[in-house]
Amino acid sequence: MADLKQTALQMFRDTLAAIDIPATMRRKLAREGSHIRVGGVTIDLASFERIRAVAIGKASVAMACGLAEMLSPAFQTEGIVVSPTLPKSAPPGFRAIVAGHPVPNAGSFTPATRFWICSQRRMNGR
């Protein structure tokens, strides 16, 4: 029985290791020049002064890295990555924030507050 448990645990670890989040981001977002296609919608990134992103969850750093890789060197990204533990590193321009998951904690309100402040500044031209 212990062998089955170890086998299942090893299969789980192997599956997690095989998931390539940046590659998935590249499949989901198609970029051609300054245009990016997301879910059937094309956006001209050249019309934006800044590109900000919010990535949430255990894969937040990998998602932000995938986006940053796809857009560089033509476009610089900035934003926040929110995860239940402090990541070893975040992509340049991104801040890491620890938030409770699945049960919210005090840190869970920080990402929402920062996002709201950034969006208000953007709406007010700052």
Side-chain angles (χ1 to χ4, degrees):
M1 192 68 143
D3 288 334
L4 284 176
K5 183 177 180 178
Q6 290 295 21
T7 300
L9 186 56
Q10 189 59 47
M11 288 172 57
F12 175 73
R13 288 182 180 147
D14 291 345
T15 300
L16 284 181
I19 297 171
D20 186 346
I21 300 297
T24 301
M25 294 291 292
R26 288 188 296 273
R27 283 194 307 273
K28 297 289 184 181
L29 305 172
R31 180 178 157 224
E32 189 173 318
S34 68
H35 293 87
I36 190 166
R37 189 164 177 79
V38 182
V41 176
T42 301
I43 302 166
D44 184 2
L45 297 175
S47 63
F48 295 92
E49 190 175 307
R50 289 182 167 169
I51 299 172
R52 294 181 175 147
V54 177
I56 301 170
K58 293 173 190 163
S60 61
V61 171
M63 289 186 291
C65 285
L67 178 65
E69 288 171 13
M70 179 194 296
L71 297 181
S72 70
F75 299 97
Q76 299 299 312
T77 54
E78 60 185 46
I80 59 174
V81 291
V82 183
S83 59
T85 60
L86 187 63
K88 292 178 185 174
S89 65
F94 281 80
R95 286 184 157 179
I97 298 173
V98 176
H101 177 73
V103 178
N105 60 16
S108 302
F109 297 99
T110 302
T113 302
R114 286 214 178 138
F115 180 75
W116 183 82
I117 290 169
C118 287
S119 65
Q120 292 302 306
R121 285 182 181 157
R122 176 70 180 140
M123 287 172 47
N124 293 324
R126 291 184 268 164

